[in-house]
Amino acid sequence: KLLAYNTKKFGETGKFTREWMNSLALLYQMNGQYNKSFEIGERLYNIYVKIYGKNDDTTMTAAGNLGSYYHTIGNYRKAIRYGEEVYKYHIVHSGDEAPATLYAINNLAIYYHSIGDLDKAIEYGEKAYTSRLKVLGEKNNQVLTSLGNLASYYDSKGDYNKAIELCEKAYENTCDILGENHPDTLLLLSNLASYYGAKGDYNKAIMLCEKAYKARFDVLGEMHPSTLTSVNNLSSYYYNAGDFKKSTA
């Protein structure tokens, strides 16, 4: 109703209308109403193109939001389309190592991974990690996020040794920054266990998963979804290791 009122009073391209459309799109996304979210996002993007043209930061912010909305609902091709548009714009107008460029390339790696184009995901993931490392330093949350993502891309490709190498590095540095029992640290520990499990080193997977489970139990509680995931993973590793008694305990 407010959107209709603002549109009538200020016009579709009016400042208040645009601000309200942006807020409404984000609210719909937060509430899981993704179809409405990207419907408004598309409308807002087209308005910005009309006002500012495509070569504008505001238009590219809208395009980046659209990429995120489409990725959330599983429309990866459209997410990539907007992600590529944003990345190419920032390469030219912001530079290779600008925060907006690095954010855009990190998103693109995620989108390509989601669609199953692992070579492209690794290519962009490597660029995101090495550039963020150069600009922000080794022990930075954004750098460690890119490193953890890159490990998952190599895991998906079946290069478990590379995935383990990268994830161990991300885990150790995240421990130093956030502490051993932070949820992000425990997620990396759980991922590391899964990479060892995928490699067939079930004893190592069990050891790491036991550690993740105990920490999650203490920090998050027995019935937290992450704790229950650890229980389920641990059962799987014991089963694959041939310890059927512990797998059903």
Side-chain angles (χ1 to χ4, degrees), residues 4 13 23 90 93 98 119 125 140 144 162 170-171 184 211-212 219 240:
T13 60
S23 298
H90 284 298
H93 295 87
D119 289 335
N140 174 276
L144 296 176
K162 188 68 174 179
Y171 170 67
D184 290 352
K211 186 176 179 180
V219 174
N240 289 327

Side-chain angles (χ1 to χ4, degrees), residues 45 58-68 82-83 85-86:
Y45 169 73
T58 304
T59 307
M60 288 300 106
T61 298
N65 290 341
L66 266 179
S68 174
Y82 285 108
E85 188 177 329
V86 173

Side-chain angles (χ1 to χ4, degrees), residues 1-9 20 43:
K1 288 182 180 179
L2 280 172
L3 178 57
Y5 170 80
N6 283 337
T7 303
K8 185 176 180 180
K9 184 173 182 179
W20 181 247
R43 188 174 158 193

Side-chain angles (χ1 to χ4, degrees), residues 34-222:
Y34 302 117
N35 287 335
K36 287 189 175 182
S37 181
F38 73 72
E39 179 185 325
I40 293 174
E42 285 272 16
R43 188 174 158 193
L44 190 57
Y45 169 73
N46 289 328
I47 288 170
Y48 284 134
V49 170
K50 183 178 179 181
I51 297 172
Y52 303 115
K54 284 196 173 184
N55 290 326
D56 178 83
D57 283 356
T58 304
T59 307
M60 288 300 106
T61 298
N65 290 341
L66 266 179
S68 174
Y69 300 157
Y70 277 115
H71 181 259
T72 302
I73 65 167
N75 192 336
Y76 304 129
R77 294 195 182 281
K78 276 209 169 183
I80 288 169
R81 173 192 147 194
Y82 285 108
E84 288 277 11
E85 188 177 329
V86 173
Y87 173 60
K88 289 172 183 175
Y89 169 82
H90 284 298
I91 280 285
V92 173
H93 295 87
S94 306
D96 289 3
E97 297 173 354
T101 308
L102 301 181
Y103 184 74
I105 196 172
N106 189 69
N107 284 347
L108 261 182
I110 293 169
Y111 301 162
Y112 276 112
H113 182 243
S114 295
I115 208 171
D117 190 339
L118 301 179
D119 289 335
K120 207 74 170 171
I122 288 170
E123 177 192 341
Y124 282 129
E126 290 276 10
K127 282 183 182 178
Y129 169 62
T130 54
S131 296
R132 280 179 163 174
L133 180 64
K134 181 180 177 183
V135 174
L136 302 171
E138 190 173 31
K139 293 185 178 180
N140 174 276
N141 285 335
Q142 291 181 34
V143 175
L144 296 176
T145 296
S146 290
L147 185 58
N149 289 346
L150 188 56
S152 74
Y153 307 154
Y154 276 108
D155 171 63
S156 295
K157 196 174 182 183
D159 190 342
Y160 304 124
N161 288 328
K162 188 68 174 179
I164 287 167
E165 175 194 335
L166 297 173
C167 193
E168 282 184 338
K169 188 172 184 180
Y171 170 67
E172 289 167 6
N173 286 335
T174 304
C175 272
D176 291 343
I177 295 172
L178 301 176
E180 285 190 352
N181 292 330
H182 190 279
D184 290 352
T185 310
L186 297 177
L187 177 60
L188 284 167
L189 183 61
S190 182
N191 288 348
L192 189 55
S194 77
Y195 301 156
Y196 274 108
K199 188 184 175 184
D201 189 342
Y202 300 119
N203 290 330
K204 186 76 171 180
I206 287 167
M207 182 189 77
L208 296 171
C209 194
E210 286 273 14
K211 186 176 179 180
Y213 166 67
K214 289 174 183 175
R216 281 173 164 173
F217 186 96
D218 291 341
V219 174
L220 302 173
E222 184 177 11

